[in-house]
Amino acid sequence: MNISKRSLTLILLVINSFFLVGQEKNDKLLTIDRIYNSSEFRQEYQSPIQWIENGEAYVIIEKSATNNIANELIKYTTATQKREVLIASEALQINGKPITIESFSLSLDHSKILIFTNSSRVWRLNTKGDYWLYDIASKKIRQIGQQLIPSSLQFAKLSSDNSFVIYVYQFNLYKENLATNEVTQLTFNDGKNVINGTFDWAYEEEFGKRDGFMLNEKSDKIAFWQQDVSTTGTFYMINNTDSIYSKPIPIQYPKVGEDPSSTKVGIVDLATNKTTWIPVEGDAIQNYIPGMQWVTNDLLLIQQLNRKQNELTVWSYRPSSNEIKKIYTEKEPTWVDLDYPDISRNGDSENNLILVDNNESFLRLTENGTWRNVIKVTIKTGTIKKITPFNFDVAIVLGTSKDQLYFIASPKTSTQRYLYATDLQGRGKYKRITPEVFSGINTYNLSPNVKYAFHSNQSTAKSKTTDLINLPNHKVLKNIIENKNFKEALSKLSLPEIKFLQLKTENGIEIDARVVYPINFDASKKYPVLFHVYGEPWGSVANDTQIGLWNIMMAQKGFIIVDMDNRGTPCLKGSQWRKSIYKRVGVINASDQAEAAKELLKLSYADTKRVGVWGWSGGGSMTLNLLFKYPEIYKTGVAVAAVANQLTYDNIYQERYMGLPQENKQEFIDGSPITYAKNLKGNLLYIHGTGDDNVHYQNAEMLINELIKQNKQFQVFPYPNRSHGIYEEQNTSRHLYTMITNYFMDNLMNLK
């Protein structure tokens, strides 16, 4: 058949128009590749800052315009935003190669800067690396510990007079004289079992402890932690891929029921280099010391927790007299929290108590009552005064001015967070500082003088932004992060509607649910429902935050996506809500999730035959418990890095919420998913990294064995040498989420 050129042109135009229409439509939809294999939706993040001059200025890392590497330090005058280059990119060149600034600290007189770079991992975080000292006046740079193994120093600190640096090297404290370059070893160990100035795996993971020493203001004494891990069991992970012979990876990891490391605290007198051990009462193994801080040059506060973590004692200690005094005790029938997990917290705290009244008192968040409130304790007398006598929870304390306390709370809904202020006298009045326009989750980095703050805001309706503001009027001084490119990229997509529901279970428990609806939602149709879960005391999920791109993609594919928070999660719903999970992890939280799911699935558009659930870590455990215990509800599940057997996890976390297995082992068994594996009826995909130093891969193999024993069919996918986050090595995240997506598509969306 002959076709004229004109006809052919018309045909090509029609085909091309269809292609363009299809392309335009596809641009509105996300794919795995667009999320994980492109920079299309890259967000901006604020660089680390250090407040100086009591908050009237700050220093921040910026990328060099010449090499696009984060190796310039810029000082900004806070009020005027006057910009001053402290370290130019050209000054951070070693043998022609630029140094990347990972973190930094300024000397007290701001004349010198310690730069941390070339870091490597210790336990779970990069806390070991190289330190360089930069002199602002001379513009000269020198390496600290240059005669030692590269990338091997930890937590270097300058003395107050800039004459020496203290750091940790191979689990010992060292002093380096900056005038003579003389290096003096201050602590000594056997090179294997004693840790000085830093911490073992469990303290880092569960107490947020990494930096384990501190100089007093005069820099004539060092207070430090020492841990003896000689009796801690060694767990071996196996590397099968980097050699033709497997390599065991040892990690000293105290399992639940096993004794913690022996921990004590000491003081090095830098005039004599001799160590004095602080005579804290109690057994060094059966008690934890998760907090210590200088109050004056001759006064320390030491926080001690008993093994069960239901009794906190605060001690004062004076090195000059060797006098130790118990000044505060707090007891609970469940557990005492130190670092309250909350969506509004910026990273881990050091468990330091906030000092007020010219360092004569400290503040403490307590759960002894209906609500979590702030008390003030006088150090000299131990006198206690309630500062926030409110009928709602304080989420976290941010800081204080001379007469004001700044804290995060959300009296009306637990799904949001706002900044409030009250007086330090406990008069019972408070004021919301966050303007009404900033709905959702608000976080703050307050200046020491509490005149300024970096304020970040996000919600389901708004991507994260960060501003520099004045306090208390909350006036914006500068837009720091607007995420314009990210917002523009999002605006081109077909975005789902998001609603918050309150579901009341049959036993009267009200559960917050965040529901993401499918694109082009039609209430007359039936949709598959995908529950995302966590459900343990260390996190909440039904928050008013921007949702992830993967959730948007799944909504575009036609899923209803639900996040719910059960009892035991750190919601601002009172102490009874949070503490009711004690000794019932895996029981009460799973029951709440299932009962709330039943209520949600009563919605006419929810397809009860196509219900999925997935979660990571504690959420992986929850997924398994829900699949095994409630097969009539959940048809398909994906569990990632799950604790299948509570007796395999670390002692600090599991014993805090479950007690000691020597006393109530059956409750550990009752809460463990492996106990109910025999009930599996639906589809299960289990995913775990073989290099997971947190939730060990043995959980996978224990569960696999039990499922085989029970003749249950399932799928499992190990990621070689990946850690708990399963992100290492090229293409891992893309591969992981492709697999999860396909599994739910095959077993829920495409179900016939």
Side-chain angles (χ1 to χ4, degrees):
M1 183 175 71
N2 294 324
I3 302 175
S4 67
K5 290 183 179 180
R6 184 172 181 273
S7 299
L8 181 59
T9 301
L10 288 172
I11 291 171
L12 291 174
L13 284 171
V14 171
I15 293 173
N16 191 45
S17 67
F18 274 109
F19 174 79
L20 289 174
V21 169
Q23 185 64 41
E24 181 182 358
K25 183 179 179 181
N26 288 338
D27 284 345
K28 294 179 179 293
L29 302 179
L30 283 169
T31 65
I32 290 290
D33 281 353
R34 290 182 74 184
I35 298 173
Y36 297 102
N37 200 35
S38 77
S39 59
E40 185 179 358
F41 296 94
R42 183 172 295 169
Q43 295 194 59
E44 300 173 60
Y45 296 95
Q46 185 181 6
S47 298
I49 72 156
Q50 181 177 335
W51 292 105
I52 60 174
E53 299 172 13
N54 200 30
E56 295 300 331
Y58 62 90
V59 180
I60 190 168
I61 304 171
E62 292 187 357
K63 285 187 176 182
S64 166
T66 58
N67 58 29
N68 201 36
I69 292 176
N71 69 344
E72 290 194 334
L73 281 185
I74 309 299
K75 173 186 174 182
Y76 285 95
T77 303
T78 310
T80 65
Q81 285 299 288
K82 178 185 176 183
R83 187 179 188 270
E84 178 186 348
V85 179
L86 293 185
I87 302 181
S89 176
E90 295 75 21
L92 291 184
Q93 302 278 336
I94 305 299
N95 298 323
K97 295 182 179 179
I99 296 176
T100 299
I101 304 174
E102 297 184 37
S103 65
F104 66 94
S105 61
L106 274 71
S107 61
L108 290 177
D109 63 1
H110 304 158
S111 67
K112 294 177 174 57
I113 305 175
L114 269 175
I115 297 166
F116 181 60
T117 188
N118 192 32
S119 70
S120 60
R121 183 173 168 177
V122 177
W123 310 141
R124 300 191 63 202
L125 296 175
N126 284 33
T127 58
K128 184 169 64 174
D130 292 327
Y131 283 90
W132 295 82
L133 183 63
Y134 180 81
D135 187 287
I136 293 176
S138 68
K139 297 184 179 181
K140 291 183 179 180
I141 190 168
R142 58 176 288 181
Q143 186 173 8
I144 303 300
Q146 57 184 326
Q147 74 275 36
L148 303 175
I149 298 172
S151 187
S152 62
L153 272 59
Q154 294 180 275
F155 317 119
K157 298 179 183 68
L158 272 165
S159 62
S160 55
D161 63 359
N162 299 334
S163 64
F164 60 85
V165 177
I166 304 292
Y167 50 78
V168 173
Y169 173 67
Q170 295 185 344
F171 293 153
N172 274 310
L173 286 165
Y174 287 79
K175 173 184 175 182
E176 183 169 327
N177 188 300
L178 295 176
T180 65
N181 296 326
E182 179 185 9
V183 176
T184 304
Q185 185 172 345
L186 301 174
T187 63
F188 300 86
N189 60 27
D190 59 4
K192 182 179 180 181
N193 291 315
V194 176
I195 300 172
N196 294 293
T198 185
F199 298 93
D200 65 2
W201 186 95
Y203 260 68
E204 177 182 294
E205 171 66 16
E206 305 302 354
F207 290 137
K209 305 301 293 182
R210 297 165 185 93
D211 182 350
F213 73 94
M214 61 205 74
L215 287 153
N216 64 355
E217 190 174 347
K218 282 186 178 180
S219 294
D220 62 356
K221 294 180 178 62
I222 304 172
F224 73 100
W225 278 263
Q226 182 185 88
Q227 291 188 293
D228 185 340
V229 298
S230 59
T231 60
T232 300
T234 300
F235 188 87
Y236 291 94
M237 299 177 293
I238 304 296
N239 182 338
N240 284 313
T241 62
D242 291 347
S243 171
I244 58 173
Y245 289 99
S246 62
K247 179 183 178 182
I249 310 296
I251 180 171
Q252 287 166 310
Y253 182 109
K255 296 279 188 177
V256 60
E258 300 295 317
D259 283 343
S261 301
S262 175
T263 303
K264 60 182 180 179
V265 287
I267 293 180
V268 178
D269 187 329
L270 290 176
T272 62
N273 293 340
K274 291 184 178 179
T275 297
T276 299
W277 298 108
I278 301 175
V280 181
E281 293 179 11
D283 186 274
I285 294 177
Q286 300 304 321
N287 288 278
Y288 299 108
I289 302 180
M292 178 169 61
Q293 65 198 100
W294 288 103
V295 178
T296 68
N297 282 305
D298 192 40
L299 181 63
L300 273 170
L301 292 181
I302 301 166
Q303 296 178 65
Q304 181 187 47
L305 267 178
N306 65 333
R307 170 75 179 273
K308 290 185 177 181
Q309 301 175 67
N310 58 8
E311 182 174 340
L312 170 69
T313 303
V314 179
W315 303 87
S316 65
Y317 175 73
R318 294 191 179 277
S320 60
S321 62
N322 202 35
E323 177 191 13
I324 191 163
K325 180 182 177 183
K326 183 185 295 187
I327 58 175
Y328 174 75
T329 301
E330 181 178 322
K331 297 181 181 180
E332 286 202 42
T334 55
W335 73 87
V336 174
D337 270 311
L338 294 172
D339 180 9
Y340 288 92
D342 193 79
I343 187 69
S344 62
R345 184 179 293 283
N346 287 315
D348 292 323
S349 77
E350 288 295 313
N351 299 328
N352 285 342
L353 299 163
I354 295 178
L355 300 173
V356 294
D357 299 340
N358 295 317
N359 291 0
E360 293 180 356
S361 306
F362 65 81
L363 302 180
R364 163 91 187 127
L365 267 175
T366 70
E367 292 271 14
N368 283 324
T370 304
W371 304 100
R372 183 191 299 150
N373 277 302
V374 182
I375 61 170
K376 181 169 68 173
V377 180
T378 305
I379 294 174
K380 187 175 181 179
T381 64
T383 304
I384 298 172
K385 183 179 181 62
K386 184 178 284 189
I387 303 302
T388 59
F390 310 136
N391 292 323
F392 59 83
D393 285 312
V394 174
I396 60 172
V397 173
L398 287 182
T400 62
S401 62
K402 184 178 180 180
D403 58 358
Q404 292 285 299
L405 169 71
Y406 287 85
F407 62 94
I408 297 291
S410 185
K412 295 181 180 179
T413 171
S414 181
T415 62
Q416 301 176 338
R417 298 290 185 274
Y418 301 102
L419 178 64
Y420 288 82
T422 188
D423 65 85
L424 281 168
Q425 303 308 313
R427 296 187 180 96
K429 295 182 179 181
Y430 61 91
K431 179 183 179 181
R432 174 168 156 166
I433 305 298
T434 307
E436 293 292 334
V437 68
F438 293 108
S439 63
I441 302 295
N442 295 275
T443 59
Y444 293 83
N445 178 353
L446 269 60
S447 62
N449 58 12
V450 199
K451 287 174 60 178
Y452 310 99
F454 286 94
H455 164 234
S456 295
N457 169 254
Q458 62 174 308
S459 69
T460 56
K462 180 186 175 185
S463 300
K464 187 174 182 179
T465 58
T466 300
D467 297 319
L468 175 64
I469 63 169
N470 267 127
L471 288 174
N473 60 15
H474 215 282
K475 179 183 177 181
V476 175
L477 298 175
K478 183 182 181 181
N479 300 124
I480 303 297
I481 294 175
E482 297 184 77
N483 265 319
K484 288 182 178 179
N485 293 337
F486 178 73
K487 290 178 184 177
E488 184 179 352
L490 275 185
S491 69
K492 296 177 181 178
L493 298 174
S494 294
L495 297 174
E497 182 182 10
I498 305 166
K499 293 182 181 179
F500 285 89
L501 306 178
Q502 277 210 329
L503 304 169
K504 194 168 186 178
T505 65
E506 285 187 359
N507 53 0
I509 304 300
E510 289 190 349
I511 303 290
D512 287 322
R514 186 181 70 179
V515 182
V516 182
Y517 289 84
I519 302 300
N520 301 319
F521 173 71
D522 183 346
S524 67
K525 296 182 179 180
K526 292 279 191 180
Y527 296 93
V529 181
L530 180 57
F531 290 95
H532 170 247
V533 294
Y534 181 71
E536 296 200 7
W538 205 247
S540 56
V541 293
N543 301 309
D544 193 359
T545 56
Q546 67 180 71
I547 64 170
L549 294 172
W550 188 78
N551 279 340
I552 294 174
M553 184 191 73
M554 295 302 279
Q556 290 174 346
K557 292 180 181 296
F559 286 90
I560 297 172
I561 300 153
V562 184
D563 289 278
M564 301 191 299
D565 285 320
N566 49 261
R567 283 177 294 173
T569 52
C571 297
L572 304 184
K573 295 186 174 184
S575 298
Q576 185 176 357
W577 169 278
R578 291 183 291 274
K579 298 304 180 76
S580 60
I581 200 172
Y582 186 60
K583 294 186 179 181
R584 301 170 75 188
V585 174
V587 178
I588 189 174
N589 49 347
S591 173
D592 279 0
Q593 285 283 336
E595 293 302 315
K598 288 179 183 177
E599 295 303 313
L600 185 131
L601 292 172
K602 291 178 182 178
L603 296 171
S604 61
Y605 45 81
D607 190 341
T608 58
K609 295 180 180 178
R610 296 187 291 168
V611 179
V613 59
W614 85 285
W616 203 303
S617 192
S621 306
M622 175 71 81
T623 297
L624 294 174
N625 267 323
L626 293 176
L627 271 180
F628 298 161
K629 289 184 175 183
Y630 306 97
E632 73 280 6
I633 301 175
Y634 305 95
K635 311 304 181 185
T636 296
V638 175
V640 186
V643 177
N645 183 343
Q646 290 187 18
L647 296 172
T648 68
Y649 199 51
D650 78 73
N651 54 6
I652 295 179
Y653 182 93
Q654 210 67 44
E655 291 175 6
R656 178 189 301 151
Y657 305 123
M658 289 295 293
L660 303 182
Q662 291 90 332
E663 299 175 359
N664 59 306
K665 186 176 180 180
Q666 188 59 45
E667 287 171 309
F668 286 80
I669 295 171
D670 292 343
S672 295
I674 197 170
T675 305
Y676 311 98
K678 60 187 177 183
N679 298 325
L680 176 64
K681 293 182 180 179
N683 310 298
L684 168 63
L685 170 60
Y686 188 94
I687 300 169
H688 213 126
T690 68
D692 191 337
D693 61 328
N694 183 358
V695 179
H696 299 147
Y697 184 70
Q698 72 177 157
N699 281 273
E701 297 201 346
M702 285 180 173
L703 183 64
I704 290 168
N705 267 342
E706 181 62 22
L707 288 167
I708 292 171
K709 175 183 174 182
Q710 301 297 335
N711 197 33
K712 298 298 179 180
Q713 298 301 307
F714 60 98
Q715 289 180 254
V716 63
F717 197 97
Y719 277 91
N721 302 327
R722 271 61 162 196
S723 68
H724 194 57
I726 312 183
Y727 60 87
E728 299 87 350
E729 304 297 335
Q730 185 177 354
N731 200 51
T732 297
S733 294
R734 178 182 174 212
H735 185 276
L736 170 67
Y737 279 95
T738 299
M739 179 166 50
I740 295 173
T741 302
N742 290 343
Y743 197 75
F744 284 127
M745 290 297 293
D746 291 343
N747 290 289
L748 294 180
M749 182 59 68
N750 301 328
L751 184 67
K752 295 181 180 179

